[in-house]
Amino acid sequence: MLIKKTICIAIFTLLMGFPLFAQTVSSRLVDAKTQKGIPYATIQYGEGQGVITNEEGRFSFVLEEGATLPDSIYVTSMGYEKKGFTLEQLQDSLIPLNAKAIELGGVYVFDKELEVDDIIEKMIENIPQNVNKNPIKQRFFLRKSELANMQKVDFGFEKSSIKELNKELMDSISNSIPKNAAHYTESFGDLYKNNTKYKLNIIKAADLYDKKEVGSFEDLAEHMEEIFKQNVKPGSYLKIKSGIFSEKIQVDSILDTMDDERVEQVKKVKAQVEKDSVSGLTDSQRWEFKEMLSQLYYKEDTKLDLVDKTRRYEFKLAGYADIGDAGVYVVDFWPKRSSADFKGRLYINIEDFAVMRLDFKNTQRLRNFRLLGITYRETVHKGTMRFAKLSNGKYDLQFMDLSDGKYFGVDRPLKVVEKNKHVKGRRKQNELKLNIDFRMNMTAKWELVVFDQDNLAENEFKSFKEDKTVRPTYMPRYNPEFWKGYTIMEPNQAIRGFTVEEEK
């Protein structure tokens, strides 16, 4: 009996050391001195298992049911001391890290020390053998944040001979356009990648936006169409003039055939749009990956021309550091005079010259177009890229934070004139004259975290079939329970506070 009792106690004690249910660990990483959040630090809680802190230093991860508790959880961030924590320590609301200066010399021993230009040259030479192009399966979390700020909307109403198209309507249209709009998309799943070909298995996704903003534009379009239908005569066409440009649009083919047959056609089109939206998530996410990954530093079409136009940049060896167990050269770069567009910092593996991390930011506008009252500017292109070494010895993307900012403005007259080809003499029937002044800033931000990377055989990639029936869950306000049980990148304050105002 004593032996049986002892065995039972031992088993009970052993079980106490293992979680019997999924456990979520959440906290915030901060600078020990300033108490500011440390963005994009790595929290390593198992072999090949980790998560990245968000821009505010927040993180969370899930220890699955039955998983062995890690002895130590390691926290690393460039410019800070690597530190191990117990699971209990990570339950605190704030986890402090002490800053650590980058070493300027005397840390690594080399057979032959290289000048910074030699380091950059070897980095570029080794891109073909360092960059992974083999089939791979990556468990990912992707968040896209789209923000629009309307600085000014003024239709500059001058006159209209159509009663309904009056100043009051133009003002109401102006007021209906939201001054600030936000759209957040989050998705979790597997990316099947074979060089530049992508397939997706989306497990779960969320869409945060205000449906009323979209609905108001749809209602507005229908209202405008009804006004023209009632006021435009059969056989008419619209002459649209904006400055020196003029465009002729046949109205009778658009507006005066709203009979039962056309109504049925419209219904069929809307039904098809709804049907297409079922597969829209997978298709749109695949497009997002294609656009985002085309901006990797070694791609031909990337805006970051660091590899393609190296001679336009100055380089300086700032020192040495560690990323994981690898030593890296820390190399700063900036434009020679104004001949290049970016500045930043490279972290290049000392042994194989692979880029393990890259931070960059534009120093000037990438595009600045202005002609006849139309202005378009690409104002921001910045981000961070991190790469991890795979079992095949090559490197693939582990984390990416990318931001794009644009400005768009229109300041020019607009005249819409209805003319009728069946009227003798003066053909002008109606006229609408405006002076449009429209200005807005748009920002798109992508945050991609890759949690696991598994090599694939070529036939595995080819045989995988996408499920296009997955729909995102619409959220009028952020729901912290939605991702419970999933390891993701924590949302920032703007997302946590996102909510749609209730209709009064």
Side-chain angles (χ1 to χ4, degrees):
M1 284 291 292
L2 183 61
I3 294 175
K4 185 176 181 180
K5 184 177 180 181
T6 303
I7 291 174
C8 290
I9 293 173
I11 292 173
F12 178 76
T13 305
L14 185 64
L15 289 174
M16 288 297 289
F18 295 85
L20 298 180
F21 49 86
Q23 181 180 359
T24 300
V25 179
S26 301
S27 190
R28 183 167 179 247
L29 197 65
V30 297
D31 184 291
K33 186 175 181 180
T34 66
Q35 295 297 297
K36 291 182 178 180
I38 301 175
Y40 312 134
T42 300
I43 315 295
Q44 198 77 27
Y45 56 89
E47 186 175 352
Q49 293 179 302
V51 69
I52 305 290
T53 62
N54 73 359
E55 61 196 70
E56 298 167 347
R58 299 181 185 277
F59 69 90
S60 69
F61 59 88
V62 177
L63 295 173
E64 299 296 339
E65 180 179 347
T68 304
L69 292 176
D71 294 328
S72 295
I73 299 170
Y74 290 96
V75 178
T76 57
S77 179
M78 197 59 58
Y80 291 87
E81 295 178 348
K82 181 178 180 180
K83 191 172 181 181
F85 295 90
T86 64
L87 188 60
E88 289 74 22
Q89 288 175 312
L90 286 189
Q91 304 298 331
D92 296 337
S93 58
L94 296 178
I95 308 297
L97 275 191
N98 292 314
K100 176 185 176 183
I102 293 175
E103 300 289 347
L104 297 178
V107 178
Y108 295 94
V109 178
F110 306 95
D111 293 333
K112 180 183 178 182
E113 289 202 31
L114 299 175
E115 298 293 332
V116 67
D117 290 342
D118 297 324
I119 296 170
I120 298 300
E121 184 178 342
K122 287 183 175 292
M123 179 269 288
I124 295 173
E125 286 178 358
N126 284 275
I127 286 176
Q129 61 201 54
N130 282 328
V131 172
N132 179 58
K133 293 185 179 181
N134 297 328
I136 192 170
K137 176 185 174 183
Q138 299 174 316
R139 173 59 56 90
F140 74 88
F141 175 77
L142 173 64
R143 175 183 292 126
K144 184 179 181 182
S145 306
E146 297 174 282
L147 308 174
N149 170 247
M150 203 69 65
Q151 294 182 328
K152 187 174 184 180
V153 181
D154 185 359
F155 287 105
F157 179 85
E158 286 196 8
K159 68 176 182 178
S160 172
S161 57
I162 299 177
K163 181 180 179 182
E164 289 85 351
L165 291 178
N166 52 29
K167 187 177 186 301
E168 287 71 22
L169 177 63
M170 293 296 108
D171 289 343
S172 69
I173 294 173
S174 176
N175 293 330
S176 70
I177 297 175
K179 299 300 181 285
N180 294 286
H183 185 181
Y184 303 101
T185 306
E186 299 179 330
S187 59
F188 178 90
D190 296 313
L191 172 65
Y192 290 74
K193 185 168 66 173
N194 187 6
N195 198 6
T196 58
K197 296 179 180 178
Y198 310 109
K199 294 182 180 181
L200 285 172
N201 172 36
I202 298 178
I203 298 170
K204 196 173 186 180
D207 235 356
L208 285 78
Y209 64 96
D210 190 344
K211 278 186 175 180
K212 294 196 299 295
E213 292 175 358
V214 176
S216 64
F217 285 113
E218 292 174 350
D219 294 341
L220 176 62
E222 292 179 2
H223 182 50
M224 293 290 287
E225 184 177 29
E226 184 64 26
I227 289 174
F228 273 101
K229 184 168 75 75
Q230 292 175 358
N231 289 275
V232 175
K233 295 179 175 60
S236 287
Y237 60 90
L238 298 181
K239 198 85 170 183
I240 298 177
K241 298 180 179 180
S242 182
I244 63 173
F245 297 107
S246 179
E247 183 177 359
K248 179 179 177 180
I249 301 176
Q250 293 297 135
V251 179
D252 52 351
S253 64
I254 302 173
L255 300 172
D256 66 353
T257 57
M258 289 295 287
D259 51 17
D260 292 340
E261 182 180 352
R262 175 163 167 76
V263 170
E264 285 303 313
Q265 289 176 349
V266 171
K267 288 181 179 179
K268 288 181 181 179
V269 170
K270 288 185 176 180
Q272 185 63 44
V273 169
E274 291 179 1
K275 183 179 179 181
D276 290 343
S277 68
V278 175
S279 63
L281 175 65
T282 300
D283 292 338
S284 65
Q285 290 284 281
R286 194 188 322 104
W287 182 86
E288 294 288 355
F289 272 103
K290 183 178 179 181
E291 288 296 301
M292 185 173 49
L293 298 182
S294 70
Q295 296 304 314
L296 294 175
Y297 74 95
Y298 53 83
K299 296 286 188 177
E300 289 184 3
D301 297 330
T302 180
K303 295 178 183 177
L304 181 62
D305 56 0
L306 188 64
V307 171
D308 187 40
K309 298 176 181 176
T310 306
R311 293 182 179 179
R312 296 186 178 183
Y313 289 92
E314 296 278 4
F315 296 93
K316 177 184 177 182
L317 180 61
Y320 309 91
D322 299 307
I323 295 182
D325 297 326
V328 294
Y329 297 106
V330 181
V331 178
D332 289 334
F333 63 91
W334 63 93
K336 288 181 180 178
R337 297 177 295 277
S338 59
S339 59
D341 298 323
F342 295 94
K343 66 177 181 180
R345 175 168 279 185
L346 286 157
Y347 300 84
I348 301 172
N349 190 295
I350 288 174
E351 293 185 359
D352 56 23
F353 298 96
V355 173
M356 299 191 70
R357 175 171 168 168
L358 168 61
D359 303 326
F360 64 95
K361 181 179 181 180
N362 63 302
T363 56
Q364 57 188 351
R365 294 170 183 164
L366 302 184
R367 290 191 66 187
N368 191 9
F369 172 84
R370 184 176 177 83
L371 180 66
L372 300 174
I374 297 176
T375 304
Y376 174 76
R377 299 171 186 155
E378 293 184 6
T379 55
V380 177
H381 188 70
K382 64 179 181 178
T384 294
M385 304 173 189
R386 294 188 192 176
F387 302 87
K389 195 170 188 177
L390 308 178
S391 58
N392 62 6
K394 297 181 180 294
Y395 292 79
D396 214 313
L397 189 66
Q398 183 183 45
F399 170 75
M400 188 173 188
D401 168 75
L402 181 66
S403 295
D404 259 330
K406 297 178 175 65
Y407 170 87
F408 180 71
V410 177
D411 185 4
R412 60 185 299 153
L414 176 67
K415 184 188 291 186
V416 181
V417 181
E418 177 202 350
K419 292 189 176 184
N420 194 287
K421 54 190 174 185
H422 300 311
V423 175
K424 293 182 179 180
R426 192 168 179 268
R427 291 185 173 185
K428 187 169 81 170
Q429 303 295 303
N430 288 300
E431 182 180 18
L432 172 65
K433 191 174 181 181
L434 307 171
N435 279 296
I436 298 176
D437 190 353
F438 174 91
R439 308 171 197 175
M440 70 178 299
N441 285 306
M442 300 165 286
T443 302
K445 180 182 176 69
W446 295 264
E447 296 169 290
L448 171 66
V449 185
V450 176
F451 300 108
D452 299 302
Q453 312 213 49
D454 298 317
N455 294 318
L456 286 177
E458 189 81 30
N459 63 330
E460 288 181 283
F461 177 84
K462 290 181 179 179
S463 62
F464 174 74
K465 301 296 183 184
E466 293 180 327
D467 180 3
K468 295 190 176 184
T469 63
V470 181
R471 290 175 179 260
T473 299
Y474 170 69
M475 292 185 188
R477 59 187 58 80
Y478 176 70
N479 178 10
E481 295 297 312
F482 182 79
W483 290 110
K484 188 174 182 179
Y486 291 83
T487 296
I488 65 166
M489 172 176 274
E490 282 292 287
N492 60 23
Q493 183 60 47
I495 299 175
R496 293 196 302 274
F498 179 84
T499 183
V500 174
E501 291 184 8
E502 300 291 339
E503 292 190 51
K504 297 180 181 179

